[in-house]
Amino acid sequence: MVLLLRVPSTGDRVGAIDPPISQGLVAASLRTRGFAAEVLDLTWTGDSGLETLATALRDNSLSIVGMSAYQTNMERCLRIAAFIRRMRPDVRILLGGPQATHMPIAGLAAMADVAGLCRGPAEIALPAYIQALARGESSYEGFLHRFEAGIVDGGRPPMPSPAEIRSPVVDGLWPPDRYSFAVSFSSRGCPYGCSFCYTPASSGRRMLYSPLELVLREVALLASAGVPHLFFADPIFIVDQARTLELLEGLRLLHTGLSFSCELRFEHVTEEILAAMARAGFVKVAYGLETANERVLAGIRKSTDLQRFRETVRRTLAHGIAVEAFYMFGLPGETFDDVLRTFDFVASLHEVTDQISEPQQVQLYFGTNLLDRHQAYGIELLHEGPAYLSPAKNFRTQTLGPDDFSALEEEWKRRRGDRPQPQNSGPAIACPVP
C-alpha cells in the first residue's frame, strides 16, 4: 500500500480549505493500475496529525510513503521521515513535488531517511517504480534513488497521456464537499521560458491537456455536492484559444451555479474569451505583472505592454470579473527606483481594482533559470543552508541586496497604510507533526 501525505508548510492553518490535488492525482492513477493508495492530509488533521499518521503506519501492508516537498515544508518533511523510519524502518520514503524535481544529488545525499526523489509526474513514475521494485531492479526511471553503492539517476519520467489522466473527485479519493472550495487542472505545463519560474523546466515547455469530458464530469460532481467555487490551478489557463472556448461553453451549458477562478497571461485575453468566461461563471482572474520595467522584463524572457495590461484589467472588470495582479521585486538588473516605479504603477491600478496582491521578493528555486544560470545574471548566492534547500531569498543582484529588499518591504507597508488585507481563517499550525 502507498500512503501519500500532504505536509503543511510553516504558517499553514488547521483545517485546509483546498484539497490535496497533487496527491489525489497520483493516488487515483495508482488505483487505476491496481495498486492500493491512500491520501492523508496532515494540514486537515491539524494537531491530531501525529496520531493519525502513527495509526496509518501500523498497517502492515504499507510499503511506501510519498510526500510532496516544497521549500516551505522541507524541514517538516524530514522530521516526518525520521518519525516514519523509527516506527517502520521497512517503509520506503519518497519525495516528489517542486522541491524534489530538480534537487541536486547532494540534496538527496544529505537526507538519510529518504530513499528517492521523483523527477517528474508521479502519476507515471510511481507505478513504474513499484513494478521495478518488485522485479528487484537497481535503477528506477524517473527517480533519483539511493542504493547501498550510491545514488543512481533514473532520468526524467515520461509525461502522462491525456487518456492516463484521472480525477480524484471522480474516483472518490475524498468527499467532494470536504473542502471549502475545489481545485482542478484543465491543463498543465507552460510553453514559455520565464527565467524566474520553475514550470518551464518541469514541463519541458510542453502542454498537457486533461480530457474536456473528464473536467466537465468533475465540475458536475462538485456542483451536485454543493461546492461553491472551483479554482483552475493551470499554470496558464489560456494557451489553446479554441480549446479554452470549448471548455468555457461546456461549463456554461452545465448550469451548475459554481463560480470559477484561474491564473493566466493577460496577452491571451480577448473580448470573446472574457465574454465566455463571464457566461461560464468566472468571478476572478489573476494576471502576472511581475514588474513595470520593460527593460527588466526583457532580461527574464518576458515582455509586458503596460498600457495593454491596464486596459486588459479594465476590460476584465467590465465583464464583471474581479482581477488580481501579481508582481515581484529583486529581478536581475532591477534598481531600487525601478521597484518604486512598479509600486507607483500598481497604486495606479487601484483606480480600477482593489485586488492587488502584496509584492513578493524573487525566490531562487531549484529548476529555475535564474538559479541554474545565476552567475550569468549577475546574482550572488548567499545560501549557507543544507543542499536540499534552495537559496530562495538568500541572494543579491548587482543592484539590490538584502538590506534593499527589507527596505522595499517596509516601503510597501508604508504605502499600503490602512488598506485592509485578506486574512486566512483558522488557527495557525504550530507543529502538528514531528
Side-chain angles (χ1 to χ4, degrees), residues 30 56 109 240 258 284 291 389:
L30 285 168
D240 183 328
L258 244 70
K284 185 177 181 180
T291 174
L389 292 178

Short mmCIF file of all heavy atoms in Angstrom, two decimals, residues 30 56 109 240 258 284 291 389:
data_model
loop_
_atom_site.label_atom_id
_atom_site.label_comp_id
_atom_site.label_asym_id
_atom_site.label_seq_id
_atom_site.Cartn_x
_atom_site.Cartn_y
_atom_site.Cartn_z
N LEU A 30 -2.59 5.44 -9.30
CA LEU A 30 -2.17 4.17 -8.73
C LEU A 30 -3.34 3.20 -8.64
O LEU A 30 -3.21 2.02 -8.98
CB LEU A 30 -1.56 4.40 -7.34
CG LEU A 30 -0.16 5.01 -7.30
CD1 LEU A 30 0.19 5.45 -5.89
CD2 LEU A 30 0.88 4.01 -7.81
N ALA A 56 -1.81 5.07 10.67
CA ALA A 56 -1.61 4.61 9.29
C ALA A 56 -0.37 3.74 9.17
O ALA A 56 -0.34 2.78 8.40
CB ALA A 56 -1.52 5.81 8.35
N ALA A 109 21.62 13.12 -0.93
CA ALA A 109 22.69 12.56 -0.10
C ALA A 109 22.62 13.07 1.33
O ALA A 109 23.01 12.36 2.27
CB ALA A 109 24.05 12.90 -0.71
N ASP A 240 -4.31 27.35 -25.64
CA ASP A 240 -5.04 26.99 -26.86
C ASP A 240 -6.41 27.68 -26.80
O ASP A 240 -7.30 27.28 -26.06
CB ASP A 240 -5.20 25.47 -26.91
CG ASP A 240 -5.89 24.98 -28.17
OD1 ASP A 240 -6.75 25.71 -28.71
OD2 ASP A 240 -5.60 23.86 -28.61
N LEU A 258 -21.76 26.91 -9.90
CA LEU A 258 -20.40 27.07 -9.38
C LEU A 258 -19.79 28.36 -9.91
O LEU A 258 -20.05 28.78 -11.04
CB LEU A 258 -19.52 25.90 -9.86
CG LEU A 258 -18.98 24.94 -8.79
CD1 LEU A 258 -20.12 24.13 -8.23
CD2 LEU A 258 -17.92 24.04 -9.39
N LYS A 284 -13.20 35.63 -10.91
CA LYS A 284 -11.91 36.25 -10.62
C LYS A 284 -10.83 35.63 -11.48
O LYS A 284 -10.83 34.43 -11.73
CB LYS A 284 -11.55 36.09 -9.14
CG LYS A 284 -10.27 36.82 -8.73
CD LYS A 284 -10.03 36.67 -7.23
CE LYS A 284 -8.78 37.40 -6.79
NZ LYS A 284 -8.53 37.25 -5.33
N THR A 291 6.85 43.09 -13.08
CA THR A 291 7.46 44.39 -12.83
C THR A 291 6.95 45.36 -13.89
O THR A 291 6.55 44.95 -14.98
CB THR A 291 9.00 44.32 -12.87
OG1 THR A 291 9.55 45.65 -12.76
CG2 THR A 291 9.48 43.71 -14.17
N LEU A 389 17.81 22.44 0.42
CA LEU A 389 17.09 23.71 0.37
C LEU A 389 17.70 24.59 -0.71
O LEU A 389 18.92 24.67 -0.84
CB LEU A 389 17.15 24.43 1.71
CG LEU A 389 16.39 23.79 2.88
CD1 LEU A 389 16.59 24.62 4.15
CD2 LEU A 389 14.91 23.68 2.57
#
